[in-house]
Amino acid sequence: MESPANNHTLLQLTQLADSAVSMFFESLAPLHDVIHASDVAEVMINRHDSIWVERRGVLTKLDIVLDPIKVEGAVRSLASSVEKSAVRGTSQGIINAGHKGLRIAAVMQPTAIDGHALSIRRHRETNLTLEDYAKAGAFSLRNATTKAEEPIFLGNEEDEALMRALEQLIVRRKNVIVAGGTSSGKTTFLNALAGRVPATDRVLTIEDTMEL
């Protein structure tokens, strides 16, 4: 018996129509084996020539380049399946749907600034119970205890020492607020910090005007 949460209409993804499914996956034919690989959790198309996969929490860039027209065709097929018109720069160009254990999302250019973007994420084939978590040791104090981090700031950093401390803020994924007056260099400094983000990390920016 399904739980009430699974029957909640707000939690259900729209199922793709059969014809749209075929057109969507045909447009992404070079990624067929990757999309259906059992060890792949997510396929991310940042643009037609920047495609990444997540396997066991590790991101890897693929040596695959898609035809930009095919990528747009995939997005439009996805949009038609959920009765959206795929209009760039509007809410119609942001699409979310589901198909046979896959959650598929797309954002059209210029909302996605580098080109049409797609995310295809695989849901777990089986649900875990609390007993499963307990057996795996997820609730043990041993796994909950983390090694104390060395302090980043000692109070007297300057020059290269301060630069290394700032790098540690980024590498350790700390929350950072960059504040200042108009034309004080906030964006320039933020770009410098972003340059220290490890190449294997996933970065999402939300801007009203593209600057980063």
Side-chain angles (χ1 to χ4, degrees), residues 27-122:
S27 297
L28 303 178
L31 297 176
H32 177 274
D33 292 344
V34 176
I35 292 172
H36 294 91
S38 60
D39 64 336
V40 171
E42 185 173 5
V43 178
M44 292 153 278
I45 303 173
N46 293 337
R47 61 175 182 263
H48 73 282
D49 58 352
S50 179
I51 303 168
W52 297 72
V53 297
E54 178 191 336
R55 289 185 173 94
R56 298 181 178 87
V58 178
L59 297 179
T60 306
K61 187 176 182 181
L62 299 180
D63 292 325
I64 296 177
V65 176
L66 298 174
D67 182 342
I69 296 176
K70 293 288 188 180
V71 175
E72 180 161 347
V75 173
R76 292 191 178 280
S77 296
L78 189 69
S80 66
S81 72
V82 291
E83 299 181 350
K84 283 197 169 186
S85 54
V87 179
R88 299 182 182 212
T90 72
S91 61
Q92 295 292 312
I94 302 174
I95 306 111
N96 184 32
H99 171 67
K100 294 183 179 178
L102 298 176
R103 176 170 181 167
I104 308 170
V107 181
M108 299 188 76
Q109 201 176 26
T111 306
I113 58 176
D114 291 328
H116 303 322
L118 281 155
S119 170
I120 305 169
R121 189 162 186 85
R122 181 182 303 280

Side-chain angles (χ1 to χ4, degrees), residues 2-15:
E2 290 186 328
S3 67
N6 290 335
N7 289 323
H8 198 297
T9 56
L10 294 179
L11 300 180
Q12 292 177 351
L13 296 173
T14 304
Q15 292 299 308

